[in-house]
C-alpha cells in the first residue's frame, strides 16, 4: 500500500469513530507501527486536517473536514460522474464497482448541495455494442500490469491460429466492445496488441519483466508516434 493510500485510509478510519481512538488501535487497523502512525497524523495535520488529540490520549477528526483535492468544480464533478457511468457500462464488473465505490467516497465528503448536484448530473452514456465476452478476467491483466509481471497466454490470431506467448503487459485499452492489451511479446521480440476476447488461457508467471512499466509505455508511445493522452491505434489491433 502506498503512503498516499494509507493517509486516505487513515482519514476514513477516523471518520468512522465518533470518540477519540488511540494510536495503537489506528496502527493495528492500518497494519503499521505506532511510530509510523504518529508521523502520518503529523503529516495530515500539516496538510490542514483538523485532528485533535495527542500520543497516549487518542485522536479524533473534527466534523466537516474536507481534503483540499476534493474541492471540485461543477464541471469536474460532471466529468467524474460521466467517467464512472462509462466504466459501469463498458468496463468489467470489478472495475465498474471500483468506480462506483470511489465516487461514493468522494460524495461522502462533499457539501450537501454539491453532492445533490452530483447525484442529479444529466450527462449520460449513450447506448453501444456490449463488450465481446472474454475467457480471461481483465482484473488479472490489471494486476499483472501493476506488478510488472510476465504473463503466459494462449492467443488466437486473425487467421485462427493459436500460439503460446510470454508477454510483458503494460497497458490495457477499453474500446466500446473490445479490450486490448499492449505488451512486449517475447516471441516476436517487439510490441504487440492483443484482444482479450482472443485469449483462451492466461497464467501469471512468478517473475517480473526486466524493464519498468513506464519505460515500456514511453517506448511504445514513441513507436506509435502518439501523445501521452492518446490511446491505442486501432489499425494495429
Amino acid at each position: 500500500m502506498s503512503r498516499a493510500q494509507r493517509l486516505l485510509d487513515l482519514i476514513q478510519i477516523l471518520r468512522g469513530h465518533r470518540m477519540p481512538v488511540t494510536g495503537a488501535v489506528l496502527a493495528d487497523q492500518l497494519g503499521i507501527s505506532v511510530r509510523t502512525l504518529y508521523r502520518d497524523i503529523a503529516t495530515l495535520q500539516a496538510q490542514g486536517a483538523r485532528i485533535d488529540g495527542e500520543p497516549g490520549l487518542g485522536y479524533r477528526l473534527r466534523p466537516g473536514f474536507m481534503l483540499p483535492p476534493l474541492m471540485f468544480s461543477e464541471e469536474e464533478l460532471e466529468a467524474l460522474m460521466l467517467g464512472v457511468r462509462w466504466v459501469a457500462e463498458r468496463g468489467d464488473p470489478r472495475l465498474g464497482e471500483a468506480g462506483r465505490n470511489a465516487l461514493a467516497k468522494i460524495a461522502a465528503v462533499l457539501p450537501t448541495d454539491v453532492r445533490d448536484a452530483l447525484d442529479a448530473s444529466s450527462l449520460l452514456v449513450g447506448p453501444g455494442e456490449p463488450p465481446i465476452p472474454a475467457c480471461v478476467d481483465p482484473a488479472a491483466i490489471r494486476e499483472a500490469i501493476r506488478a510488472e509481471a510476465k504473463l503466459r497466454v494462449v492467443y488466437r490470431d486473425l487467421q485462427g491460429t493459436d500460439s503460446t506467448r510470454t508477454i510483458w503487459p503494460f497497458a490495457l485499452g477499453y474500446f466500446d466492445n473490445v479490450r486490448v492489451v499492449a505488451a512486449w511479446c517475447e516471441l516476436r521480440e517487439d510490441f504487440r496488441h492483443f484482444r482479450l476476447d482472443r485469449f483462451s488461457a492466461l497464467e501469471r508467471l512468478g517473475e517480473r519483466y526486466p524493464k519498468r512499466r513506464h519505460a515500456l509505455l514511453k517506448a511504445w508511445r514513441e513507436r506509435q508516434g502518439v501523445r501521452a493522452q492518446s490511446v491505442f491505434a486501432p489499425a494495429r489491433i
Side-chain angles (χ1 to χ4, degrees):
M1 180 191 300
S2 68
R3 185 162 189 258
Q5 181 62 53
R6 191 175 74 237
L7 293 175
L8 288 172
D9 289 347
L10 176 54
I11 288 291
Q12 290 298 107
I13 292 172
L14 286 169
R15 278 203 183 95
H17 289 275
R18 292 182 177 274
M19 302 299 292
V21 56
T22 66
V25 170
L26 292 171
D28 183 68
Q29 292 185 15
L30 291 167
I32 59 177
S33 69
V34 174
R35 179 175 296 182
T36 298
L37 183 280
Y38 291 157
R39 288 200 297 266
D40 288 351
I41 290 286
T43 297
L44 289 172
Q45 289 173 331
Q47 293 177 353
R50 296 185 294 174
I51 300 175
D52 295 329
E54 59 185 71
L57 297 179
Y59 297 95
R60 179 175 176 269
L61 182 67
R62 292 186 191 177
F65 170 70
M66 190 186 323
L67 291 173
L70 298 183
M71 295 295 290
F72 296 114
S73 68
E74 289 187 9
E75 286 194 340
E76 289 169 341
L77 288 170
E78 287 182 335
L80 285 170
M81 176 60 78
L82 182 61
V84 170
R85 285 174 174 170
W86 191 96
V87 170
E89 291 290 331
R90 304 284 194 271
D92 56 86
R94 281 184 59 179
L95 198 61
E97 182 66 19
R100 287 186 289 270
N101 288 342
L103 200 60
K105 290 179 180 178
I106 293 172
V109 296
L110 291 174
T112 302
D113 58 335
V114 179
R115 183 168 60 248
D116 291 343
L118 180 66
D119 292 337
S121 174
S122 58
L123 300 185
L124 306 175
V125 176
E129 296 183 24
I132 299 174
C135 296
V136 299
D137 185 0
I141 304 288
R142 295 196 300 273
E143 291 169 0
I145 290 173
R146 288 192 293 266
E148 299 181 339
K150 291 186 179 183
L151 295 174
R152 180 181 292 122
V153 301
V154 177
Y155 188 74
R156 176 164 294 179
D157 63 19
L158 287 171
Q159 288 71 43
T161 302
D162 288 342
S163 62
T164 300
R165 315 280 190 102
T166 297
I167 63 174
W168 309 351
F170 57 83
L172 180 59
Y174 283 77
F175 295 87
D176 278 344
N177 64 341
V178 295
R179 295 148 188 167
V180 181
V181 180
W184 178 267
C185 176
E186 292 188 355
L187 177 66
R188 303 303 184 194
E189 297 184 338
D190 200 356
F191 292 113
R192 286 293 185 271
H193 299 154
F194 301 94
R195 284 175 46 163
L196 261 63
D197 58 291
R198 294 181 185 160
F199 284 144
S200 59
L202 180 150
E203 176 189 3
R204 179 167 164 174
L205 303 180
E207 59 179 309
R208 296 180 61 170
Y209 44 74
K211 294 185 178 181
R212 298 307 304 269
R213 173 167 50 91
H214 71 269
L216 289 172
L217 188 59
K218 179 181 179 181
W220 171 81
R221 284 169 172 159
E222 292 173 349
R223 177 78 63 86
Q224 299 299 314
V226 297
R227 295 178 181 272
Q229 295 85 357
S230 299
V231 294
F232 298 80
R236 295 292 302 279
I237 293 174

